[in-house]
Amino acid sequence: MKPSKENLLWMYEAMVQARHYEETMARAYMEGKSPKFDIGSGPVPGEMHLAAGQEPCAAGVCAHLRPTDTVTATHRPHHAAIAKGVDLNRMTAEIFGKATGLGGGRGGHMHLFDPDVHFSCSGIIGESCGPAVGAALAAQMQKRDDVAVAYLGDGAANQGAFHEALNLAAIWNLPVIFVVEDNSYGISVPKSASTAIAHNSDRAGAYGMAGEYVADNDVLGVFAAAGKAVKRAREGKGPSLIEVETYRYFGHFQGDPELYRPKGEVEALKAKDPIARLREHILKEGAHDEAALDAALATAHDAVDAAFAFARQSPDAAPKDALSAVFV
Ligand SMILES: Cc1ncc(C[n+]2csc(CCOP(=O)(O)OP(=O)(O)O)c2C)c(N)n1
């Protein structure tokens, strides 16, 4: 399945928006945390996991989705949230701990929840799988042709929750797609030291579902694989597993000394950046010209800058409201 001109421009805009978001967030997060790292200081408290480099996994899949489809993401959620259309102002305010945030500033960056576009994420590894199976079961029982997408990391694919979810999805023939983001590491552990096979997509066959590996962080490859998987799911033909070879440019979390990385690894990855490759492809195909791509980039950057300004200007979450959404 080849992307249309509109798909290409949409994916480019989603990817440059996510990249600008991550780079802006990286700077905001380090405010007040250097020269001596203190996780609680600065305008963005707590841990921060960035996904710069992994944009193809978000754009290539979400290009096929509607607002009523469900996405459950990981502790590294911003690229997927942006591609799914999560409210950028309220998401940023949430991360800054502000009252105007998606969850009133209570959840932070690993607990984004936007019911308007059916998006959630979690700091628990593999936790994305169960809720996506639930959403897919609801769609099937209510005879809607909506689908659910669960994102997870290659490390999370060794969690029990992942295997139970795959089994249920297959046995019930559910419209769910598991997208494994293979960025080579689980914190500092290389994938080769935690997983006995090269590709988690090979595990799909053991559960009786389709599996596909997309190499080289290729957004066009992700778009094609996801297109088939989403079509299959909408037609009632069951679940799929897609593993994407992707890269993260930042550490596991911001402040990670990254001692486990071979020297020069990030520079080598940046030399084949997926956004630059997509831009080149669009120009070569003649789908859009430089001016159209620059305009899309400017629109995407403006929305990010406005979201950070909104977050910074918003009032802090009030301590007296901390328990107001707790049900006991
Ligand atoms: C159930 C559970 N176990 C352990 C952790 C601690 N932890 C946080 S991130 C992480 C590694 C995740 O690696 P991967 O799934 O490959 O995602 P990536 O960080 O590479 O995006 C671990 C073990 C956790 N959050 N949840």
Side-chain angles (χ1 to χ4, degrees), residues 243-314:
E243 185 168 55
V244 183
E245 180 189 19
T246 192
Y247 316 118
R248 64 166 157 78
Y249 292 160
F250 291 107
H252 169 68
F253 56 84
Q254 286 305 90
D256 166 7
E258 297 185 60
L259 300 175
Y260 53 89
R261 288 249 212 211
K263 257 197 163 48
E265 181 179 76
V266 174
E267 290 67 28
L269 297 176
K270 284 185 174 169
K272 47 176 187 168
D273 184 73
I275 298 180
R277 278 156 53 202
L278 177 60
R279 188 172 171 117
E280 249 170 59
H281 173 84
I282 293 173
L283 292 172
K284 201 171 114 228
E285 291 273 295
H288 300 279
D289 61 12
E290 297 268 10
L293 295 177
D294 287 347
L297 183 139
T299 305
H301 282 209
D302 286 352
V304 169
D305 296 343
F308 276 81
F310 173 82
R312 286 184 190 272
Q313 287 156 15
S314 290

Side-chain angles (χ1 to χ4, degrees), residues 54 75-76 123-125 153-156 159 183 185-187 248 252:
Q54 300 189 190
H75 58 291
R76 201 179 296 290
I124 304 297
I125 299 309
D154 52 279
Q159 283 287 106
N183 62 14
Y185 297 106
I187 308 186
R248 64 166 157 78
H252 169 68

Side-chain angles (χ1 to χ4, degrees), residues 122-297:
S122 169
I124 304 297
I125 299 309
E127 155 63 20
S128 54
C129 298
V133 166
L137 178 62
Q140 186 190 63
M141 291 176 77
Q142 293 166 5
K143 304 201 184 327
R144 291 182 278 111
D145 69 348
D146 291 328
V147 304
V149 173
Y151 282 98
L152 65 148
D154 52 279
N158 292 318
Q159 283 287 106
F162 168 70
H163 296 275
E164 291 179 35
L166 256 67
N167 188 53
L168 270 187
I171 205 84
W172 290 341
N173 200 41
L174 296 178
V176 59
I177 298 132
F178 300 92
V179 179
V180 181
E181 297 183 275
D182 170 13
N183 62 14
S184 300
Y185 297 106
I187 308 186
S188 57
V189 179
K191 184 181 173 190
S192 57
S194 70
T195 308
I197 53 172
H199 300 154
N200 278 300
S201 47
D202 289 347
R203 290 172 160 177
Y207 294 98
M209 71 173 76
E212 194 160 344
Y213 189 79
V214 179
D216 204 22
N217 212 16
D218 174 23
V219 69
L220 302 174
V222 178
F223 182 90
K228 277 189 273 178
V230 170
K231 182 167 185 288
R232 193 181 296 129
R234 289 208 202 286
E235 288 174 351
K237 294 180 181 156
S240 309
L241 170 60
I242 300 168
E243 185 168 55
V244 183
E245 180 189 19
T246 192
Y247 316 118
R248 64 166 157 78
Y249 292 160
F250 291 107
H252 169 68
F253 56 84
Q254 286 305 90
D256 166 7
E258 297 185 60
L259 300 175
Y260 53 89
R261 288 249 212 211
K263 257 197 163 48
E265 181 179 76
V266 174
E267 290 67 28
L269 297 176
K270 284 185 174 169
K272 47 176 187 168
D273 184 73
I275 298 180
R277 278 156 53 202
L278 177 60
R279 188 172 171 117
E280 249 170 59
H281 173 84
I282 293 173
L283 292 172
K284 201 171 114 228
E285 291 273 295
H288 300 279
D289 61 12
E290 297 268 10
L293 295 177
D294 287 347
L297 183 139

Side-chain angles (χ1 to χ4, degrees), residues 3-10 285-288:
S4 66
K5 284 183 178 193
E6 291 72 29
N7 291 146
L8 287 170
L9 191 62
W10 185 89
E285 291 273 295
H288 300 279

